[in-house]
């Protein structure tokens, strides 16, 4: 049972049209959003920190899901080393900083490595003992991986859906996605549908070793690796 | 819409109020002359009324200043990144920096991906000449932003092996609209067969890679586009055209000029005797050397020196007649037996016959007076309007009120008989009990 439904809102997708049409038409946002999908990485996180959303004592679990497997690592901004994430493991990230991810060993793309960035702009508020039970899922489809390999920028905003606007359908194996044209503000669209949680960007650029060692990108921020629980009952309420 | 209705109602009320005295006079059976006057007066009333209605409704539809549409327009993202001059750093600073600027997190390099033709060798200019074969297409390299590089392209597949090109590559600085793209993507650069044909036929090819403006893109995927000068209409500047369509990330200019032609060392780059050949074929790799800036730092041009004297024995540069040793316009260079410049029309060795030499300059000159006060008016459309700061907050907190036996104590609280369970919830105000 998922009590925290999340929905992907992505800018590069091949989503079936019926899913989009099933969503009731949303009203035009009456608010001005200075942030959008072209905002420089890190700016939304800084603003979230300035607005008091950042909590330096809370690591928001994030789980990565690849369509056909692969290796996921998170660059530890402090030690500047890649921390591998075993399948099913979660990364505990703070709100505000930009984290660099590495996706490698993709079955359909041998030798290809992707270096997306992830920027948390808000967090979930589950009961403390259920923190790892409801991570923010970051899913990549095969089409998105192909777009990134072809050096196109895919920007995804994951938001917590608004209950009165949620689609009254059971969630399937993948969370629902929508494709938004470039001429619309992705942040506005996500804000219309719920509460934006994180921004995920992936493209084809391969950072140089000097770039990865540069403490300015990303700036030092703590990272928590949450291993796969041996006994799922450990994570439940006492 | 509410304000429109209110405005019209007010106008009608005013009209009714002004018409009442005439209506009363009609009842009192005034003479016909008064009727004519009243009709004329009525016409004026209705004319004024119609004018008012048209003006007010027109302003309500078109003008944002009359009807508040509730729209807010913040400054562009580039301005919003910083609190503004005299507020943030550099000093005087009255606001501490919240966090490192996003610009500091963004790599200062742009990754250029040389797509093709496949198998082509690419080198670049270094301080001692050219480093050859530093990479082979397809390949990518991180160039520092805001710089211009001179490349050396050799071994182009399907072309004359002696064909060597020396294109320049301008890597533009990152812009707030291109930061996200340049952080995650590379700039694709491809020299096509059509480009090579144009170059070999002595044409100049300019390729501009830019990120289109998002508001003009209907697709969901952010991709770059390339403008090639040979595909544009004659006279169209590809750089200006790309700048109009989006944000430029790189400009490549290619011609067929040979920069390493033997026998003309003075004009070539190899002007020193200790030239060391750098070749990637032998495992030697050197970072490219910027040969100039790229991009636009400011829209205001710097002061330009129109001319000046050269060094001793050297001609003046940018010569201006009459300035810096340049002879005045119209001065003949006649000689004298002693080697100095003589008077006009003095025949060498003969008697002077010229009595008068008059020049009338009838050129119409209108270059304006020198500017003593310069005023520049700038305007940002739409204007900047932000929600006003909150100055009144009313906070009401309501708590449920329970009577006796309305509240049950949770089981995990230990039944209220002697404290909490280890690790359990601690109600506010009971810490330390």
């Amino acid at each position: 049972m998922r009590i925290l439904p999340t929905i992907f809102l992505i800018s590069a997708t091949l989503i079936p049209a019926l899913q989009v049409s099933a969503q009731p038409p949303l009203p035009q946002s009456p608010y001005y959003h200075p942030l959008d999908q072209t905002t420089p990485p890190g700016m939304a996180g800084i603003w979230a920190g300035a607005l008091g959303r950042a909590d330096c004592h809370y690591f928001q679990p994030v789980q990565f899901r690849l369509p056909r497997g692969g290796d996921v690592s998170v660059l530890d901004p402090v030690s500047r080393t890649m921390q591998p994430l075993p399948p099913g493991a979660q990364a505990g990230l703070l709100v505000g900083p930009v984290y660099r991810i590495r996706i490698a060993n993709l079955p359909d793309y041998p030798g290809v490595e992707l270096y997306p960035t992830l920027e948390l702009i808000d967090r979930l508020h589950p009961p403390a003992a259920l923190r790892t039970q409801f991570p923010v899922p970051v899913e990549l489809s095969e089409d998105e991986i192909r777009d990134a390999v072809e050096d196109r920028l895919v920007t995804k905003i994951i938001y917590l859906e608004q209950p009165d606007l949620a689609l009254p359908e059971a969630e399937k194996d993948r969370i629902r996605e929508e494709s938004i044209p470039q001429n619309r503000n992705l942040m506005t669209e996500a804000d219309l549908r719920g509460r934006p949680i994180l921004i995920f960007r992936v493209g084809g650029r391969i950072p140089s070793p000097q770039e990865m060692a540069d403490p300015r990108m990303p700036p030092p921020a703590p990272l928590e690796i949450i291993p796969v629980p041996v006994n799922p009952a450990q994570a439940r309420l006492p | 819409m509410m304000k429109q209705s209110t405005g019209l109602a007010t106008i009608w009320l005013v009209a009714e109020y002004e018409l009442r005295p005439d209506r009363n006079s009609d009842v009192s059976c005034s003479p016909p002359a008064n009727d004519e006057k009243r009709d004329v007066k009525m016409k004026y009333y209705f004319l004024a009324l119609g004018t008012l209605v048209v003006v007010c409704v027109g302003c309500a539809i078109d003008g944002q200043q009359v009807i508040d549409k509730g729209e807010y327009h913040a400054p562009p993202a580039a301005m919003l990144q910083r609190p503004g001059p005299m507020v943030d750093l550099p000093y005087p600073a009255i606001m501490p920096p919240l966090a490192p600027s996003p610009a500091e997190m963004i790599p200062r390099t742009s990754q250029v991906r040389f797509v093709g033709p496949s198998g082509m060798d690419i080198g670049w200019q270094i301080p001692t000449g050219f480093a050859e074969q530093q990479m082979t297409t397809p390949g990518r390299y991180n160039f520092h932003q805001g710089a211009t590089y001179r490349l050396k392209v050799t071994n182009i597949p399907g072309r004359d092996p002696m064909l060597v090109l020396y294109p320049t590559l301008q890597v533009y600085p990152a812009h707030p609209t291109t930061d996200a793209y340049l952080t995650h993507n590379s700039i694709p650069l491809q020299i096509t067969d059509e480009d090579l044909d144009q170059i070999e036929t002595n044409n100049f090819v300019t390729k501009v890679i830019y990120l289109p403006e998002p508001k003009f893109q209907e697709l969901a995927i952010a991709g770059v586009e390339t403008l090639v000068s040979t595909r544009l209409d004659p006279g169209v500047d590809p750089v200006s055209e790309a700048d109009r369509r989006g944000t430029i990330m790189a400009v490549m200019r290619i011609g067929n000029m040979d920069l390493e032609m033997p026998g003309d060392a003075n004009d070539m780059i190899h002007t020193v005797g200790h030239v060391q050949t750098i070749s990637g074929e032998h495992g030697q790799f050197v970072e490219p050397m910027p040969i100039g800036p790229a991009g636009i730092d400011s829209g205001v041009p710097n002061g330009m020196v129109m001319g000046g004297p050269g060094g001793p024995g050297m001609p003046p540069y940018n010569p201006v007649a009459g300035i810096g040793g340049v002879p005045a316009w119209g001065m003949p260079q006649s000689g004298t037996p002693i080697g100095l410049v003589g008077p006009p029309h003095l025949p060498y060795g003969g008697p002077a016959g010229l009595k008068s030499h008059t020049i009338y300059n009838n050129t119409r000159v209108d270059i304006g007076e020198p500017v003593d006060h310069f005023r520049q008016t700038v305007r940002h459309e739409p204007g900047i309007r932000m929600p006003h700061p909150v100055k009144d907050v009313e906070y009401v907190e309501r708590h449920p009120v329970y009577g006796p036996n309305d509240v049950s104590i949770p089981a995990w609280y230990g039944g209220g008989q002697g404290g909490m369970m280890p690790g359990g919830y601690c109600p506010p105000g009971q810490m330390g009990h």
Side-chain angles (χ1 to χ4, degrees):
Chain A
M1 181 184 69
R2 298 184 66 85
I3 61 173
L4 296 174
T6 53
I7 298 177
F8 272 1
L9 185 73
I10 62 177
S11 67
T13 57
L14 297 172
I15 300 304
L18 59 93
Q19 289 191 353
V20 177
S21 60
Q23 178 79 9
L26 293 168
Q28 195 78 15
S29 175
Y31 304 110
Y32 173 77
H33 287 262
L35 301 176
D36 58 13
Q37 61 269 26
T38 63
T39 302
M43 188 171 167
I46 288 176
W47 284 27
L51 292 173
R53 294 182 193 148
D55 184 357
C56 59
H57 301 294
Y58 186 81
F59 290 90
Q60 171 62 50
V62 176
Q63 193 173 42
F64 297 91
R65 300 171 186 170
L66 300 176
R68 299 188 59 190
D71 294 340
V72 179
S73 307
V74 183
L75 176 68
D76 188 348
V78 179
S79 64
R80 316 302 300 181
T81 56
M82 280 291 178
Q83 302 291 330
L85 278 179
Q90 302 169 8
L93 311 177
L94 293 179
V95 174
V98 176
Y99 290 92
R100 179 73 85 163
I101 318 294
R102 183 180 66 189
I103 300 174
N105 293 330
L106 295 167
D108 296 333
Y109 300 95
V112 170
E113 290 184 346
L114 298 176
Y115 290 86
T117 62
L118 193 148
E119 184 179 0
L120 273 170
I121 55 177
D122 213 334
R123 49 164 284 200
L124 302 179
H125 296 270
L130 295 177
R131 183 175 69 104
T132 58
Q133 287 289 300
F134 299 97
V136 177
V138 177
E139 293 184 351
L140 269 180
S141 67
E142 296 184 16
D143 295 324
E144 291 159 6
I145 293 175
R146 187 196 62 216
D147 288 335
V149 170
E150 292 175 356
D151 229 342
R152 283 179 284 195
L153 178 61
V154 179
T155 305
K156 309 175 77 164
I157 294 182
I158 302 174
Y159 62 91
L160 183 68
E161 62 182 352
Q162 197 172 330
D164 54 349
L165 292 177
L167 191 67
E169 288 183 5
E171 193 174 283
K172 303 198 173 86
D173 52 345
R174 291 197 64 198
I175 55 177
R176 200 165 59 87
E177 299 180 350
E178 280 184 75
S179 181
I180 304 297
Q182 277 285 309
N183 56 6
R184 284 159 69 182
N185 189 340
L186 210 58
M187 193 68 82
T188 303
E189 300 295 329
D191 187 66
L192 271 176
R193 291 158 174 80
R195 182 159 58 92
I197 299 294
L198 68 81
I199 304 174
F200 182 81
R201 296 182 177 95
V202 59
R205 174 168 178 153
I206 302 172
S208 63
Q210 295 82 6
E211 213 172 295
M212 299 295 280
D214 190 350
R216 295 174 301 174
M217 178 64 193
L223 167 73
E224 179 191 16
I225 302 296
I226 305 171
V228 184
V230 179
N231 183 7
Q234 290 178 354
R236 297 190 180 280
L237 267 177
Chain B
M1 291 300 292
M2 288 184 63
K3 290 199 174 182
Q4 286 183 21
S5 303
T6 305
L8 285 176
T10 306
I11 293 164
W12 279 111
L13 283 174
V14 171
E16 288 288 331
Y17 177 79
E18 295 294 335
L19 287 172
R20 267 175 198 159
D22 287 342
R23 197 176 295 151
N24 293 336
S25 64
D26 195 15
V27 174
S28 63
C29 297
S30 57
N34 289 339
D35 287 342
E36 291 179 6
K37 288 182 180 178
R38 186 195 61 189
D39 291 339
V40 172
K41 206 172 182 180
M42 289 284 289
K43 286 180 182 177
Y44 282 120
Y45 273 128
F46 280 111
L47 180 61
L49 178 65
T51 306
L52 278 174
V53 169
V54 169
V55 169
C56 292
V57 172
C59 291
I61 293 173
D62 297 331
Q64 193 176 333
Q65 68 278 12
V66 175
I67 299 301
D68 187 1
K69 297 179 181 177
E71 293 181 352
Y72 293 108
H73 307 287
M79 293 171 63
L80 284 175
Q81 287 184 27
R82 309 299 293 257
M86 306 301 290
V87 177
D88 65 343
L89 298 175
Y91 300 98
I94 60 173
M95 181 177 173
L98 301 173
S101 170
E104 296 179 9
M105 305 179 191
I106 299 165
R108 297 288 92 188
T109 59
S110 292
Q111 190 166 89
V112 178
R113 181 164 51 96
F114 297 95
V115 180
S118 182
M120 180 176 68
D121 289 333
I122 293 178
W124 40 64
Q125 186 175 338
I126 59 175
T128 57
F130 279 99
E132 301 185 4
Q133 299 177 346
Q134 297 296 292
M135 58 183 299
T136 304
T137 56
R140 53 184 77 196
Y141 191 84
N142 291 345
F143 290 92
H144 288 282
Q145 294 175 354
T148 304
Y149 299 90
R150 174 77 72 176
L151 306 180
K152 181 177 181 180
V153 178
T154 54
N155 297 331
I156 304 171
R159 299 285 166 169
D160 184 4
M162 300 300 292
L163 177 63
V164 181
L165 301 176
Y166 299 89
T168 59
L169 177 65
Q170 277 188 304
V171 182
Y172 273 55
H175 189 268
T177 56
T178 58
D179 267 341
Y181 184 88
L182 291 174
T183 307
H184 299 85
N185 293 80
S186 59
I187 303 172
L189 200 56
Q190 183 172 19
I191 302 176
T192 62
D193 283 338
E194 183 183 349
D195 299 334
L196 293 170
D197 291 340
Q198 295 282 352
I199 294 165
E200 286 189 313
T201 53
N202 210 27
N203 285 327
F204 180 58
V205 177
T206 303
K207 298 177 81 90
V208 185
I209 299 97
Y210 67 98
L211 190 66
E213 189 77 21
K215 62 184 177 184
F216 298 137
Q217 285 189 306
E218 295 291 338
L219 297 175
I221 305 169
V224 298
E225 292 186 10
T226 302
L227 266 185
V228 188
S229 58
T230 53
R231 293 188 178 181
L232 296 174
D233 293 335
V236 177
D237 181 17
V239 177
S240 302
E241 182 67 17
D243 191 53
R244 192 178 62 83
R245 298 183 185 183
T247 309
I248 299 175
M249 295 187 290
V251 178
M252 191 179 197
R253 294 180 174 88
I254 321 173
N256 60 358
M257 182 179 179
D258 188 357
L259 292 183
E260 294 178 297
M261 199 166 61
D264 195 7
N266 289 334
D267 294 337
M268 295 299 108
I269 296 171
H270 298 271
T271 57
V272 292
H274 56 275
V275 173
Q276 181 185 2
T277 303
I278 303 294
S279 175
E281 201 175 15
H282 303 112
Q284 299 166 326
F285 297 97
V286 179
E287 191 177 356
M289 178 190 71
I291 62 171
I296 301 170
D297 292 334
S298 170
V300 181
N302 296 322
M304 291 180 290
V305 178
M306 296 306 293
M314 298 290 290
Y317 60 90
N318 291 331
V320 177
I323 298 176
V326 181
W329 189 83
M331 177 71 74
Q333 297 288 321
S334 57
T336 59
I338 58 175
L340 297 176
V341 178
H345 284 239
L346 178 63
Y348 184 73
L354 182 67
K355 302 293 179 63
S356 174
H357 183 193
T358 306
I359 298 176
Y360 293 100
N361 187 355
N362 291 327
T363 307
R364 301 183 66 180
V365 178
D366 183 10
I367 59 174
E369 295 295 324
V371 176
D372 50 355
H373 299 288
F374 179 74
R375 183 181 63 193
Q376 186 175 11
T377 304
V378 298
R379 181 183 176 89
H380 190 270
E381 290 288 350
I384 297 171
R385 186 186 181 207
M386 299 288 286
H388 294 185
V390 176
K391 60 181 179 182
D392 187 10
V393 175
E394 183 177 349
Y395 180 77
V396 178
E397 184 172 326
R398 301 186 186 281
H399 296 275
V401 178
Y402 297 103
N405 301 324
D406 283 350
V407 182
S408 62
I409 298 175
W412 51 263
Y413 188 54
Q417 304 293 328
M420 299 165 45
M421 292 173 61
Y425 172 69
C426 178
Q430 297 193 12
M431 293 292 291
H433 285 243

